[in-house]
Amino acid sequence: MKRCGISEVMDSAPAVLCAYSGGADSSVLLHFLSAYVKKNGKTLFAAHMNHMIRGADADADERFCRKCCRKLGIELFVEKKDVPAEANKSGEGLEECARRLRYDFLRETAKNLGGAVIATAHNATDNMETVIFNLARGTSVHGLGGIAPVSGGNIVRPLLFASSEEIREFAESSGISYVTDKTNFDTDYTRNLIRHTVVPNLRKINPESDVAFLRLSRSAREDDEYLTRAAEEFTGDRRYIPRKEFAALERPVASRVILLLCSRESGRKNISEKNISDCLDFVYSEKIGSISIHGCDFFAHSDAVFIKSRKAEKTVFAPVGDFPLETGKFTEFGDFSVGVFEKESDITPLSENIYNLFIQQVLSRDRIYGNLFVRTRRPGDTFFFHGKHRKLKKLMCDEKIPQRIRDSLPLICDESGIVLVPTLSDGLNEKCDGNVLHIIIFRKKEHI
């Protein structure tokens, strides 16, 4: 226990709250904790959630828990939640919804008890099942970490060292009564399918698979924590990361920088491996633009990368009409400021208190016909992109330009049509022979 940090967390808390389902694991944990608090002068409470999934059986389990707690002199908190109805409303699976509601109940109860530590009965077999489930979904190193001995600062798993079989054997030999949830044998549930099919076959390969998975999880957590610390040290309190610095990061650290930025912006701590890979590939390809990820947008500008929550986005102003562009100066265009310059050294910086750089690109003079002006998109617009004319509406969709800025995006045009769409590069920049104009667009900070 001391090696896992469990004892330190429990010793520092005024009371212990046991998550008590009535099953073998939580019944053994309750008896273990009962002895622990008597020895250490603490108070033990128990919490039981009736998920209302199994009807009369669920009510019987609740009565069993009440009876056992009365016998042991432990105060029990009970909450009933119609998980099937809640899952149908939220769109979650039954297992996912039940877990969320259960932990909400435990955290709220622990808070009301003055900051009690929460003890759950997860064991080594549970950890193995979790890692297998994560592997089947294509997990990252974080998913290999499985169930941590301590999480959230106040949740501990004192039985994580033992397998489910060892815990049941202890319950039988010690005369500890418990109930059996019949749904544990229903292989329509993913975890049960793993428990009754995958796990037995793994034990044929290695009878100590439970312990082996604990070692794997510990090693994965240590690696993940090290890389996460590296990402935190690199990022600091910055929201905007210089693109060159970000692109120079090793991929494992860069992945965690994205996770960190997303967590800060939206509160979401999990992003799919595909989303992370898409963001990294976008940066390494030197493209300019954005990618949608879980209610946020990952922006890769010419000089910086950052993540912005859509919920925080304000309505942008979309100007109407053509706005002439003069070389050597900026033109205000809604929430943007568009500049055209002969040389990069001529570019006049705007106030950093108001604007952030949106894009900086070069435009070959050979492509320009007549005067330049800026406008927003219009029905039927086309753009010559990668060697052919494309419908701008479909192009913006294909290139993942965020929906909310499409109508306000400043399009650089000449008398023949659109010559530059911000955030889109058609590769012509690399072909310019030096006879170019520098196009730079800033955007007001509050609308970035």
Side-chain angles (χ1 to χ4, degrees), residues 51-247:
H51 299 94
M52 300 175 67
I53 296 175
R54 297 177 294 116
D57 286 346
D59 293 336
D61 290 353
E62 179 185 327
R63 290 193 296 271
F64 172 85
C65 291
R66 290 183 183 277
K67 179 180 177 182
C68 287
C69 285
R70 280 196 300 269
K71 185 177 179 180
L72 293 170
I74 298 169
E75 184 176 357
L76 175 69
F77 298 90
V78 176
E79 180 162 291
K80 281 191 173 184
K81 282 288 185 180
D82 191 341
V83 172
E86 179 66 25
N88 184 59
K89 180 181 177 181
S90 66
E92 299 168 286
L94 276 179
E95 292 175 281
E96 181 184 6
C97 182
R99 183 183 186 281
R100 175 176 62 81
L101 294 174
R102 187 165 59 248
Y103 272 97
D104 286 348
F105 168 51
L106 290 170
R107 291 189 184 96
E108 184 64 25
T109 304
K111 180 181 178 181
N112 293 337
L113 291 172
V117 62
I118 300 168
T120 70
H122 291 98
N123 57 54
T125 308
D126 293 326
N127 177 72
M128 178 164 60
E129 293 166 1
T130 297
V131 174
I132 293 169
F133 178 64
N134 290 341
L135 278 169
R137 296 191 301 173
T139 187
S140 64
V141 173
H142 182 76
L144 294 179
I147 301 172
V150 179
S151 66
N154 71 329
I155 300 175
V156 298
R157 283 101 184 189
L159 301 183
L160 198 58
F161 67 93
S163 69
S164 57
E165 286 75 8
E166 290 172 330
I167 292 172
R168 279 163 179 72
E169 288 174 4
F170 179 82
E172 297 293 339
S173 63
S174 303
I176 298 174
S177 58
Y178 60 87
V179 294
T180 301
D181 185 344
K182 294 177 182 178
T183 62
N184 286 341
F185 302 96
D186 184 355
T187 53
D188 285 341
Y189 293 97
T190 303
R191 186 171 289 276
N192 290 344
L193 181 64
I194 294 171
R195 180 177 304 153
H196 297 297
T197 58
V198 180
V199 169
N201 283 297
L202 279 175
R203 286 180 177 152
K204 290 178 182 178
I205 300 172
N206 178 9
E208 299 294 325
S209 292
D210 308 66
V211 177
F213 271 79
L214 283 178
R215 291 197 301 269
L216 169 66
S217 292
R218 183 178 64 246
S219 177
R221 282 196 303 273
E222 289 172 351
D223 289 352
D224 188 42
E225 289 166 3
Y226 175 82
L227 292 167
T228 298
R229 284 196 301 273
E232 290 171 345
E233 290 171 4
F234 168 81
T235 306
D237 60 358
R238 295 184 294 181
R239 292 176 57 205
Y240 298 88
I241 309 298
R243 183 163 181 163
K244 287 184 179 179
E245 288 185 29
F246 185 88

